[in-house]
């Protein structure tokens, strides 16, 4: 175990750098070569914190570089596979949510939202330059943002046409119940298992049990290969609106309402599935699972969005639906499939049948994240079980 104790002051934010722990790492235990460069042996467990921040929102893993990134709402933490703290980034008042690492450009992408100003962005972070503690995103040219007008349009929709949009879960406004964005992940275009990689951004959805138009997860896919022309530095005093006018595609997954939509989104190259980790919903007519999956090769099909009036004023809106994957529990009443597996504050497939699951501990201003390496079992009630790099690392020996 490696213990790091530091303090860094950044515009009133005191960062308490507590324990960053790594256990049972076996260098070279997994020497599988992907392409010309071998993947590094990953830690079985790691703890980051405590931090004076919000709770952990998501993680990203750079297997070849040997780094793990944690989003703590208003703080980004970079730790290497040996448990050493490499750097921290702070300096925004918005909500930094789920993360994913893009091996194509070596950057971390994360959802960033400012609800009160209809500001919904993807943060594009040049993490290769994140190499010290207390770096300020407002001063270091490594934190850029891309605006998502499609999200803002749905979030700010005045559905009851009373001339104002209420910013709370009980509001009748916000198309699809959109509360912003959370989950992000790179993967293939829906309906494919290979080819060009797209960034998928998942909506947050208000947990309003009185509505019938908020029972779908909403996923947008973007081609980020030309995002350099949109990306702008973070300037909260004068928020920009530079971003793609439309997504590459917009899709819906009927799961039943969940609180704040897809918290963690990820693509698994082994099972060829998209995983959706959520906070549990409350509607009694839905099974309210915690984890859902979509087969990557499932063909999106046009369908009716229940309860969603078409913006043209003619009937109900139609959209492209993605079917839920097989396996797991199946609710006979709704046909919805999923698992009671917590995956809402950090879920990251490693591409070899293993996954990181994060859990959060601590109170406000004193937050920690714990990672556990898991393996896929495929069992209905327990789809993931602890993974060990060596059999001798198992508690049973």
């Amino acid at each position: 175990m490696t213990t790091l104790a530091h303090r860094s002051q950044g515009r009133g934010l005191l960062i308490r750098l507590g324990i960053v722990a790594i256990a049972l790492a076996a260098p070279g235990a997994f020497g599988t070569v992907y392409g010309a460069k071998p993947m590094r042996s990953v830690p079985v467990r790691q703890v980051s914190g405590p931090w004076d921040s919000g709770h952990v929102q998501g993680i990203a893993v750079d297997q070849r570089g040997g780094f793990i990134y944690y989003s703590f709402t208003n703080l980004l933490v970079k730790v290497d596979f040996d448990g050493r703290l490499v750097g921290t980034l702070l300096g925004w008042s918005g909500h930094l949510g789920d993360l994913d690492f893009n091996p194509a450009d070596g950057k971390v992408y994360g959802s960033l939202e400012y609800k009160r100003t209809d500001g919904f962005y993807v943060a594009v972070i040049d993490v290769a330059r994140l190499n010290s503690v207390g770096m300020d995103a407002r001063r270091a040219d490594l934190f850029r943002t891309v605006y998502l007008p499609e999200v803002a349009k749905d979030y700010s929709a005045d559905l009851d046409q009373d001339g104002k949009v209420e910013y709370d879960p009980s509001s009748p406004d916000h198309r699809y119940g959109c509360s912003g964005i959370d989950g992000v992940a790179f993967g293939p275009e829906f309906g494919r298992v290979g080819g060009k990689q797209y960034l998928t951004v998942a909506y947050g959805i208000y947990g309003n049990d009185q509505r019938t138009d908020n029972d779908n997860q909403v996923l947008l896919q973007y081609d980020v290969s030309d995002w350099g022309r949109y990306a702008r530095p973070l300037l909260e005093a004068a928020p920009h609106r530079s971003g793609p006018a439309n997504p590459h595609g917009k899709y819906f997954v009927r799961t039943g309402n969940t609180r704040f939509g897809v918290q963690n989104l990820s693509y698994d190259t082994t099972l060829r599935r998209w995983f959706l980790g959520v906070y549990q919903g409350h509607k009694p007519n839905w099974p309210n699972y915690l984890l859902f999956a979509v087969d990557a090769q499932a063909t999106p099909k046009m369908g009716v969005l229940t309860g969603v009036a078409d913006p043209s004023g003619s009937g109900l809106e139609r959209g492209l639906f993605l079917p839920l994957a097989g396996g797991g529990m199946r609710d006979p009443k709704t046909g919805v499939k999923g698992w009671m597996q917590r995956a809402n504050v950090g879920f990251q497939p490693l591409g070899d049948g293993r996954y990181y699951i994060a859990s959060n501990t601590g109170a406000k201003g004193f937050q920690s994240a714990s990672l556990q390496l898991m393996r896929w079992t495929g069992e209905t009630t327990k789809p993931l079980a602890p993974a060990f790099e060596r059999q001798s690392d198992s508690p049973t020996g």
Side-chain angles (χ1 to χ4, degrees):
M1 178 178 291
T2 302
T3 301
L4 303 173
H6 306 271
R7 288 195 175 185
S8 176
Q9 185 74 36
R11 195 173 177 135
L13 175 64
L14 178 63
I15 307 174
R16 301 184 189 93
L17 284 77
I19 299 173
V20 178
I22 186 169
L24 306 179
F30 283 83
T32 305
V33 176
Y34 295 83
K37 189 176 182 181
M39 293 291 191
R40 298 195 181 192
S41 177
V42 300
V44 171
R45 290 184 287 272
Q46 192 176 87
V47 177
S48 177
W51 302 97
D52 186 1
S53 66
H55 75 77
V56 63
Q57 301 284 339
I59 60 172
V61 180
D62 173 8
Q63 290 191 71
R64 289 192 172 90
F67 300 106
I68 300 174
Y69 302 90
Y70 298 82
S71 165
F72 283 95
T73 315
N74 56 354
L75 174 71
L76 182 74
V77 177
K78 179 180 181 179
V79 181
D80 70 17
F81 280 4
D82 293 322
R84 290 185 291 263
L85 180 66
V86 178
T88 61
L89 186 67
L90 63 156
W92 57 90
S93 62
H95 179 285
L96 184 67
D98 191 21
L99 308 173
D100 201 13
F101 178 78
N102 182 12
D105 61 14
K107 295 180 172 63
V108 163
Y109 289 64
S111 60
L112 179 66
E113 61 178 24
Y114 298 82
K115 293 182 190 293
R116 291 290 176 175
T117 59
D118 297 343
F120 302 100
Y121 301 88
V122 170
V124 183
I125 308 166
D126 187 1
V127 289
R129 299 167 59 191
L130 179 54
N131 53 21
S132 63
V133 172
M135 295 184 71
D136 193 329
R138 297 161 296 190
R139 299 172 184 170
D141 188 25
L142 56 78
F143 190 98
R144 291 179 174 267
T145 56
V146 175
Y147 183 64
L148 303 182
E150 182 74 11
V151 181
K153 179 184 68 175
D154 289 335
Y155 178 76
S156 61
D158 181 14
L159 298 184
D160 61 1
Q161 299 182 339
D162 65 351
K164 59 183 179 180
V165 177
E166 292 83 7
Y167 298 96
D168 63 76
S170 63
S171 168
D173 296 321
H174 313 288
R175 185 167 288 109
Y176 321 118
C178 174
S179 70
I181 52 176
D182 273 298
V184 296
F186 283 93
E189 183 178 16
F190 288 117
R192 300 175 180 271
V193 295
K196 189 179 184 69
Q197 298 289 289
Y198 293 86
L199 176 66
T200 303
V201 180
Y203 278 17
I205 305 289
Y206 280 124
N208 187 334
D209 294 358
Q210 307 308 312
R211 299 176 66 151
T212 60
D213 61 348
N214 62 350
D215 290 327
N216 300 304
Q217 307 300 339
V218 184
L219 306 175
L220 306 179
Q221 286 202 315
Y222 290 94
D223 179 357
V224 302
S225 61
D226 64 345
W227 270 21
R229 64 190 175 116
Y230 299 123
R232 300 289 186 272
L234 177 67
L235 186 60
E236 293 184 342
H240 72 83
R241 293 296 188 256
S242 175
N246 299 293
H248 175 76
K250 188 172 189 175
Y251 306 88
F252 302 87
V253 185
R254 195 157 179 79
T255 62
N257 180 243
T258 61
R259 291 181 299 123
F260 298 107
V262 180
Q263 290 292 297
N264 269 234
L265 180 69
S266 57
Y267 178 67
D268 179 17
T269 57
T270 302
L271 295 179
R272 296 180 172 181
R273 285 181 171 181
W274 293 87
F275 282 101
L276 292 69
V278 305
Y279 291 137
Q280 192 168 35
H282 294 143
K283 287 187 178 181
N285 55 321
W286 294 93
N288 298 314
Y289 299 133
L290 298 175
L291 179 66
F292 303 94
V294 171
D295 281 328
Q297 60 189 355
T299 302
K301 294 183 179 179
M302 192 64 68
V304 174
L305 290 160
T306 302
V308 182
D310 192 280
S312 68
S314 176
L316 295 178
E317 184 178 345
R318 294 173 62 83
L320 288 171
F321 279 84
L322 301 169
L324 290 166
M329 293 177 273
R330 182 183 184 279
D331 178 49
K333 183 169 58 176
T334 62
V336 168
K337 291 164 283 188
W339 297 268
M340 286 299 183
Q341 169 66 58
R342 189 180 183 218
N344 51 30
V345 296
F347 183 86
Q348 181 62 58
L350 299 183
D352 57 3
R354 297 180 301 164
Y355 306 75
Y356 272 131
I357 293 286
S359 59
N360 59 295
T361 58
K364 183 178 180 180
F366 203 73
Q367 295 285 344
S368 295
S370 299
L371 288 191
Q372 172 67 56
L373 189 65
M374 310 291 282
R375 60 180 176 82
W376 184 257
T377 68
E379 295 179 10
T380 300
T381 58
K382 191 178 180 181
L384 294 168
F388 304 97
E389 290 209 339
R390 299 169 298 185
Q391 185 60 35
S392 61
D393 291 334
S394 168
T396 60

